[in-house]
Amino acid sequence: GQQVMQIPQYQHVQEGEDFTTYCNSSTTLSNIQWYKQRPGGHPVFLIQLVKSGEVKKQKRLTFQFGEAKKNSSLHITATQTTDVGTYFCAGINTNAGKSTFGDGTTLTVKP
Amino acid sequence: NAGVTQTPKFQVLKTGQSMTLQCAQDMNHEYMSWYRQDPGMGLRLIHYSVGAGITDQGEVPNGYNVSRSTTEDFPLRLLSAAPSQTSVYFCASLRGPGSPLHFGNGTRLTVT
């Protein structure tokens, strides 16, 4: 079945440093979604990428979808303490009607 | 709109007990699903539904039952709780395939 791998599992940064998490699927995806989960909270949808090679920005966050639609990345520029949490990617296969989540990357930011 | 509402927020069960985790959504979403989240293992799909009266198994369905008698409600039943079912359970709804998931606040379940 479809597998989605996400690295790294943990990332500790100093406030102001950049952060990147990577997501790789074993199969070609219809689209990919990114979610953020604050400590003790529930996952909240951030963005969806659909097109091959797509790049989207949300303020300091940059999301990319690979040309082959099998990998994606989330990059945060100049991290802030409000960025702490776990970032999940979810690979979507609309033919199967299912979302497969990566294991997440937990970001901690030292002020 | 309340979105996706899960009850209870916390629950402690003894091995062998049964219980139902409630999930309701008021967004008129056709699709609903249940996930469990264990430390370091992300979100794993238990069961999902693509509409009232239709359910299907996800990645880790054993020990759980679901039903979908209405569009709004999607309860998850634990038939005979086991310590391996200690986890955080999230219910989610979505408009259709490929749409963003809207998660409830979760139920933290401990089985002793």
Side-chain angles (χ1 to χ4, degrees):
Chain A
Q2 179 177 294
Q3 289 187 315
V4 175
M5 311 296 290
Q6 197 172 347
I7 57 169
Q9 188 173 4
Y10 300 99
Q11 186 76 57
H12 311 283
V13 301
Q14 195 77 33
E15 188 172 21
E17 292 181 336
D18 292 356
F19 159 76
T20 305
T21 174
Y22 300 91
C23 188
N24 291 288
S25 170
S26 59
T27 60
T28 302
L29 300 169
S30 305
N31 53 30
I32 196 158
Q33 297 168 351
W34 285 91
Y35 294 80
K36 177 182 179 181
Q37 183 178 25
R38 289 199 159 94
H42 59 277
V44 175
F45 173 74
L46 292 176
I47 208 161
Q48 176 165 280
L49 304 172
V50 178
K51 298 177 185 174
S52 168
E54 189 170 15
V55 177
K56 285 189 176 181
K57 292 191 175 185
Q58 285 181 350
K59 297 182 180 177
R60 293 178 295 102
L61 279 61
T62 301
F63 303 84
Q64 292 189 321
F65 201 10
E67 293 290 339
K69 299 185 76 173
K70 293 180 74 174
N71 61 286
S72 181
S73 64
L74 157 59
H75 179 81
I76 302 178
T77 304
T79 55
Q80 300 174 358
T81 54
T82 53
D83 294 326
V84 298
T86 301
Y87 293 85
F88 291 98
C89 63
I92 314 299
N93 184 329
T94 51
N95 290 335
K98 291 182 185 176
S99 311
T100 303
F101 281 82
D103 287 344
T105 296
T106 299
L107 171 67
T108 55
V109 180
K110 199 172 184 182
Chain B
N1 285 351
V4 179
T5 303
Q6 287 185 241
T7 56
K9 289 187 179 179
F10 301 94
Q11 183 71 50
V12 179
L13 291 177
K14 294 187 176 177
T15 298
Q17 286 184 315
S18 63
M19 80 158 295
T20 299
L21 279 62
Q22 301 292 343
C23 177
Q25 54 96 4
D26 62 359
M27 296 174 283
N28 204 31
H29 286 170
E30 286 296 320
Y31 285 52
M32 295 185 75
S33 49
W34 276 101
Y35 291 86
R36 61 176 288 173
Q37 184 175 34
D38 301 301
M41 296 191 73
L43 294 148
R44 292 185 292 169
L45 182 64
I46 305 171
H47 285 286
Y48 66 101
S49 168
V50 300
I54 307 168
T55 63
D56 205 348
Q57 295 181 349
E59 188 184 347
V60 287
N62 293 341
Y64 308 95
N65 270 359
V66 291
S67 59
R68 184 98 180 269
S69 55
T70 66
T71 300
E72 293 79 19
D73 300 298
F74 191 43
L76 177 73
R77 278 181 283 278
L78 279 70
L79 309 171
S80 177
S84 60
Q85 293 179 306
T86 293
S87 188
V88 181
Y89 291 84
F90 288 103
C91 177
S93 74
L94 60 159
R95 187 167 30 88
S99 298
L101 285 93
H102 298 258
F103 286 88
N105 288 334
T107 295
R108 292 183 180 274
L109 175 68
T110 303
V111 182
T112 61

